[in-house]
Amino acid sequence: MIEGLFIVLEGVDGAGTTTHTKLLAEALRGRGLPITTTREPSDGPVGALLRQILTGRVVVPGISGARPSSWSTMALLFAADRLDHLEATVHPNLMDGVTVISDRYDHSSVAYQSVTAGGEADTVAWVREINRHARRPDLTLVLDVEPEEAARRRKERLGGHEIFDASELQEQLSSFYRDIERYFPGDRIVHIDASGPREEVHAAILHQVRVLRGEV
Ligand code: TMP
């Protein structure tokens, strides 16, 4: 049995990773490929806890009132969720020859947790270390959009406020993602200009997957 491909979509909130995960899966399925889509935080037990923290449902009691968990607690939870996600969903599918498309992976941890660490030294190295056993994707597509456009898209979508929604943080994340490959030497990471119409972005994504598959 030939293993499936592991493809990851990444970017700031509002970049379109969820939409394009779905569109890519539909396109590949239409070509007869076995595909599954998944996401991080995952739908597993640690992922469910993370979503409660992200929406403010679970907080840390503090002297000056309730607050979200610290960046380092978040980094460890995301790493635990990732390994559980790999074990429960990603690996079994890949072994069955199914291509797995994940909406976010450990690039999100390196970006979000190190940016929210607020300039503390060696954060990236530590986040990468706790994710050492996370299998590398065959292809990571980083969707690049200007922070203003991402903010506009976030406003349009349904759903409540999340702890990483602040515009200033999203701007920092946007510049972090611009050259995120420097933290992942050896990974195949391709940037996609995601500021244009949905169909054009989808075509650019599909093209990169076809290049990976040796079709073009
Ligand atoms: P999403 O479902 O909108 O993508 O929300 C997930 C949020 O969690 C998003 O703001 C990015 C953040 N995140 C991290 O901070 N670290 C991680 O490792 C992952 C996977 C997501």
Side-chain angles (χ1 to χ4, degrees):
M1 170 73 71
I2 301 170
E3 269 190 32
L5 295 170
F6 183 28
I7 300 170
V8 169
L9 268 66
E10 275 285 354
V12 296
D13 292 275
T17 58
T18 306
T19 303
H20 286 290
T21 294
K22 200 166 153 260
L23 290 177
L24 177 62
E26 279 165 12
L28 296 178
R29 257 186 222 119
R31 288 159 182 253
L33 270 184
I35 301 288
T36 192
T37 62
T38 184
R39 61 177 186 167
E40 290 193 359
S42 77
D43 293 325
V46 188
L49 170 60
L50 276 162
R51 290 201 183 272
Q52 293 187 329
I53 298 174
L54 289 167
T55 53
R57 179 73 179 77
V58 166
V59 290
V60 177
I63 311 164
S64 42
R67 59 167 177 81
S69 302
S70 68
W71 70 271
S72 49
T73 303
M74 295 298 275
L76 288 166
L77 287 172
F78 277 115
D81 179 45
R82 184 158 300 120
L83 294 184
D84 179 57
H85 180 215
L86 282 163
E87 208 174 333
T89 306
V90 179
H91 284 150
N93 275 288
L94 294 177
M95 296 305 145
D96 275 354
V98 176
T99 285
V100 177
I101 309 172
S102 182
D103 179 356
R104 298 192 178 282
Y105 196 55
D106 63 350
H107 319 77
S108 285
S109 284
V110 165
Y112 284 74
Q113 275 61 65
S114 75
V115 169
T116 51
E120 214 165 292
D122 297 332
T123 337
V124 170
W126 180 68
V127 174
R128 286 239 53 197
E129 176 58 21
I130 59 175
N131 285 281
R132 179 146 56 107
H133 296 290
R135 169 196 187 108
R136 299 322 306 151
D138 295 297
L139 173 65
T140 300
L141 297 162
V142 179
L143 308 189
D144 292 330
V145 280
E146 290 304 318
E148 300 74 30
E149 174 60 13
R152 196 187 60 72
R153 293 182 190 174
R154 284 199 303 278
K155 261 196 206 131
E156 268 181 5
R157 74 184 178 197
L158 299 169
H161 173 81
E162 287 198 354
I163 61 173
F164 298 139
D165 280 350
S167 298
E168 200 188 318
L169 170 63
Q170 291 292 329
E171 272 167 37
Q172 285 174 274
L173 285 165
S174 181
S175 63
F176 193 98
Y177 267 108
R178 223 157 277 151
D179 53 355
I180 196 159
E181 54 277 10
R182 71 190 188 281
Y183 298 118
F184 294 89
D187 273 24
R188 181 172 180 145
I189 298 182
V190 179
H191 287 264
I192 301 285
D193 176 1
S195 54
R198 184 177 287 192
E199 298 69 33
E200 275 176 27
V201 178
H202 171 61
I205 290 173
L206 191 56
H207 176 74
Q208 289 303 329
V209 174
R210 294 190 65 207
V211 172
L212 174 71
R213 287 172 45 78
E215 292 174 9
V216 284

